[in-house]
């Protein structure tokens, strides 16, 4: 199906007629979502609080604060909805919130991880840009449920315009009485602040984020203790992803059972997938969890130029690559992708067609992780450099058969041996590329060139 066929099938009513030169708008306001919640009704200009209220915004917060719901009731509803974390690990949100020792005296914190640095991921910035109040409402509900009175949103360094938009939305919420002291006259108080990062990928790791938020060098902490007991400033802290917090109000708007039924049994609701690479219509697509990958590919206009699908990285650059035949028989949910041999991760779907050289692609990924390693752990600091240098040799016709085995061995020995998962993030692509596309690595060694005729 061509891009024109897709547009004719799904229509263009949701396209903003005043896009101008802002191509990014066409990547989200395209009318090809399926049962959207977070992105429903957005047009790029209706991000403010009055428009959010008109769409039912802050009704969930009002319901929770004014109808006698307890923190236990809120957490039970989240558990029943099967809302899982949207940032990478997919941990059940209600269960995570229940770990917070909310009855412990003293300060507790709620933190939103908007440090969106995973290559291929571009959903959180659009949520903050076009529906920031959904995140704010979700964080306030989280504060109530977990007994926290202060929250922070750590926003990625390269998107200062998004940080500015969030600050403006915070002020709107304060002026409307949804944020601050004695919210809606209920006696519940919650303060929320935006924090601007400086672009380090490692600060997407939750404890490195906390270190940076405290004004220190962004490096991961040893665990245990975990943030739920020793987090920001040494106080109990719960950290969730932007999309996770944005989804929370919709659970209470529609009810846990209805939200669950949007998705599948162990993963309720919808998920925003950032699809990029060799497709006709790259962009953000909100679809129910459990949707088959071919359907997502169809929404994105199919393969660019009608070429053949070769491989897909289904959850951001750190997730294992899957060949086309496996991916075309896989559903877009946590368990299905795990069964296929990869991870849903952040929901960044990188599509590669038959013109892509797997060796060169892996070399570029390896360079990224070498550059972004914080250097705290030896296996990661040294291992990421080894991986990139071996990949560079292989891509330039200087690799040996022994290098293929060494690559796999080094990657294996990096995994599970560092404070955080960055070493695993660098190693998993290496092992999966070799596993599924070994013939291309062998061809590079034997013929000193790529299998494909050209690399676009």
């Amino acid at each position: 199906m061509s891009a024109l066929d897709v547009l004719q099938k799904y229509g263009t009513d949701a396209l903003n007629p005043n896009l101008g030169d802002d191509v990014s708008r066409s990547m989200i306001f395209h009318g090809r979502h399926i049962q959207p919640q977070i992105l429903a009704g957005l047009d790029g200009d209706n991000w403010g609080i009055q428009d959010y209220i008109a769409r039912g915004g802050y009704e969930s917060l009002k319901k929770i604060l004014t109808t006698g719901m307890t923190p236990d009731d809120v957490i039970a509803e989240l558990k029943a909805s099967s809302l899982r974390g949207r940032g990478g690990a997919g941990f059940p949100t209600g269960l995570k919130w229940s770990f917070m020792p909310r009855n412990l005296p003293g300060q507790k914190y709620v933190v939103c991880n908007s440090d969106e640095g995973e290559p291929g991921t571009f959903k959180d910035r659009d949520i903050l840009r076009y529906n920031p109040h959904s995140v704010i409402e979700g964080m306030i509900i989280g504060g109530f449920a977990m007994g926290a009175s202060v929250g922070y949103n750590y926003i990625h360094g390269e998107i200062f315009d998004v940080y500015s938009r969030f600050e403006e939305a915070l002020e709107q919420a304060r002026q409307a009485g949804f944020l601050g002291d004695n919210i809606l006259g209920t006696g519940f108080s919650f303060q929320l602040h935006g924090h601007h990062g400086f672009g380090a990928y490692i600060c997407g790791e939750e404890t490195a984020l906390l270190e940076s938020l405290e004004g220190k060098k962004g490096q991961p902490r040893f665990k245990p203790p975990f943030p739920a007991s020793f987090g920001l400033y040494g106080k109990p802290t719960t950290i969730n992803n932007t999309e996770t917090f944005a989804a929370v109000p919709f659970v209470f708007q529609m009810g846990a059972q209805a939200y669950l039924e949007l998705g599948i049994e162990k993963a309720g609701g919808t998920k925003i997938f950032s699809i990029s690479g060799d497709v006709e219509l790259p962009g953000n697509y909100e679809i129910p969890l459990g949707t088959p990958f071919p359907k997502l590919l169809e929404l994105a206009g199919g393969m660019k130029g009608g070429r053949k699908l070769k491989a897909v990285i289904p959850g951001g650059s750190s997730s294992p690559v899957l060949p086309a035949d496996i991916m075309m028989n896989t559903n877009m949910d946590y368990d299905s992708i795990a069964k296929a041999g990869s991870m849903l991760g952040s929901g960044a779907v990188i599509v590669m067609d038959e013109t892509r050289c797997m060796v060169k692609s892996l070399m570029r990924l390896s360079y990224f992780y070498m550059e972004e390693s914080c250097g705290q752990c030896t296996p990661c600091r040294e291992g990421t450099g080894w991986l990139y240098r071996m990949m560079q040799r292989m891509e330039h016709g200087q690799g040996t058969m022994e290098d293929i085995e060494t690559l796999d061995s080094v990657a294996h020995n990096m995994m599970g041996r560092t404070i955080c998962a960055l070493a695993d993030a660098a190693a998993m692509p290496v092992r999966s590329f070799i596993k599924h596309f070994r013939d291309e690595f062998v061809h590079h060694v034997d013929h000193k060139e790529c299998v494909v005729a050209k690399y676009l």
Side-chain angles (χ1 to χ4, degrees):
M1 181 178 286
S2 68
L4 180 60
D5 292 334
V6 172
L7 293 175
Q8 290 174 341
K9 179 176 180 179
Y10 294 98
T12 58
D13 291 342
L15 287 173
N16 190 311
N18 301 310
L19 293 178
D21 295 326
D22 190 354
V23 179
S24 66
R25 287 194 175 201
S26 67
M27 296 174 71
I28 183 171
F29 308 122
H30 44 60
R32 296 187 303 281
H33 307 292
I34 301 176
Q35 295 180 282
Q37 303 300 312
I38 297 172
L39 302 183
L42 303 182
D43 62 14
D45 298 317
N46 58 353
W47 62 269
I49 192 166
Q50 294 305 320
D51 289 310
Y52 183 65
I53 290 173
R55 296 194 300 270
Y58 290 109
E59 287 301 318
S60 295
L61 179 63
K62 290 179 183 178
K63 174 184 175 181
I64 290 168
L65 294 184
T66 62
T67 62
M69 288 187 73
T70 67
D72 284 332
D73 293 335
V74 173
I75 290 173
E77 191 83 350
L78 284 177
K79 287 181 177 178
S81 74
S82 286
L83 173 64
R84 294 172 65 170
R86 304 300 199 229
F91 196 81
T93 304
L95 183 61
K96 188 172 188 177
W97 286 18
S98 72
F99 293 157
M100 178 75 95
R102 59 179 182 272
N103 296 320
L104 189 72
Q107 186 64 64
K108 290 171 281 291
Y109 295 100
V110 172
V111 174
C112 180
N113 185 347
S114 296
D115 190 57
E116 187 177 47
E118 181 80 0
T121 311
F122 45 89
K123 62 183 178 65
D124 293 342
R125 64 198 67 187
D126 275 354
I127 295 172
L128 292 174
R129 183 181 286 123
Y130 300 122
N131 201 1
H133 286 282
S134 64
V135 181
I136 294 170
E137 184 177 9
M139 292 189 72
I140 300 169
I141 292 171
F144 173 80
M146 291 179 278
S149 60
V150 178
Y152 292 93
N153 186 8
Y154 188 102
I155 299 173
H156 192 63
E158 279 90 351
I159 49 174
F160 191 82
D161 62 318
V162 174
Y163 168 77
S164 299
R165 169 68 55 84
F166 187 74
E167 286 288 336
E168 192 172 349
L170 285 178
E171 187 56 33
Q172 291 178 348
R174 293 186 188 105
Q175 293 298 322
F178 294 117
L179 189 61
D181 295 328
N182 192 27
I183 296 172
L184 301 176
T186 62
F188 171 66
S189 300
F190 187 78
Q191 307 294 335
L192 181 55
H193 312 282
H195 182 91
H196 187 248
F198 284 89
Y201 175 75
I202 192 64
C203 288
E205 195 279 333
E206 61 179 14
T207 61
L209 183 153
L210 295 179
E211 289 287 289
S212 177
L213 196 53
E214 292 178 3
K216 304 172 187 174
K217 184 177 181 180
Q219 289 188 321
R221 298 173 179 174
F222 284 100
K223 292 183 286 188
F226 292 93
S229 59
F230 189 92
L232 185 64
Y233 304 118
K235 302 297 183 180
T237 303
T238 294
I239 306 157
N240 277 119
N241 167 259
T242 311
E243 187 184 354
T244 310
F245 279 120
V248 167
F250 298 98
V251 173
F252 295 92
Q253 273 188 25
M254 64 194 314
Q257 186 61 33
Y259 189 84
L260 170 62
E261 291 172 358
L262 275 177
I264 59 176
E265 182 180 357
K266 295 182 180 180
T270 57
K271 173 84 179 75
I272 302 173
F273 290 93
S274 301
I275 186 165
S276 62
D278 299 316
V279 294
E280 290 283 3
L281 301 167
N284 284 315
Y285 293 83
E286 187 176 359
I287 59 175
L289 282 161
T291 300
F293 170 74
K295 181 64 177 180
L296 177 60
L297 185 61
E298 176 189 316
L299 295 174
M303 297 302 295
K304 193 170 185 177
R307 297 190 184 108
K308 183 179 178 182
L309 177 65
K310 182 175 186 176
V312 176
I313 301 176
S317 64
S318 60
S319 61
V321 67
L322 293 175
D325 58 336
I326 294 177
M327 200 65 213
M328 290 300 287
N329 291 288
T330 299
N331 294 337
M332 301 306 291
D333 63 79
Y334 303 94
D335 295 340
S336 296
I337 294 178
K339 185 177 179 180
S342 189
M343 305 183 304
L344 184 140
S346 63
V349 182
I350 303 172
V351 177
M352 293 181 280
D353 68 22
E354 58 193 335
T355 69
R356 298 296 175 180
C357 169
M358 295 293 103
V359 174
K360 188 168 186 178
S361 298
L362 180 57
M363 181 190 73
R364 187 63 187 84
L365 290 177
S366 296
Y367 176 77
F368 172 81
Y369 289 107
M370 180 189 71
E371 284 290 307
E372 295 296 339
S373 173
C374 76
Q376 185 175 195
C377 305
T378 302
C380 182
R381 181 182 66 245
E382 301 300 324
T384 52
W386 285 17
L387 295 179
Y388 170 64
R389 288 189 292 272
M390 281 190 285
M391 287 307 308
Q392 190 179 40
R393 289 203 305 268
M394 190 164 295
E395 169 60 21
H396 292 93
Q398 300 165 1
T400 66
M401 293 300 294
E402 186 180 48
D403 282 341
I404 300 176
E405 305 308 322
T406 303
L407 275 167
D408 194 55
S409 176
V410 169
H412 171 72
N413 286 311
M414 289 169 61
M415 295 181 67
R417 291 173 169 83
T418 52
I419 295 173
C420 84
L422 192 145
D424 294 59
M428 286 189 291
V430 171
R431 304 201 74 195
S432 62
F433 270 78
I434 293 174
K435 175 183 177 181
H436 295 297
F437 300 99
R438 178 178 285 267
D439 58 330
E440 293 201 24
F441 289 80
V442 172
H443 186 93
H444 265 265
V445 172
D446 290 343
H447 301 282
K448 316 300 181 187
E449 62 180 9
C450 299
V451 171
V452 296
K454 60 180 180 178
Y455 184 76
L456 301 177

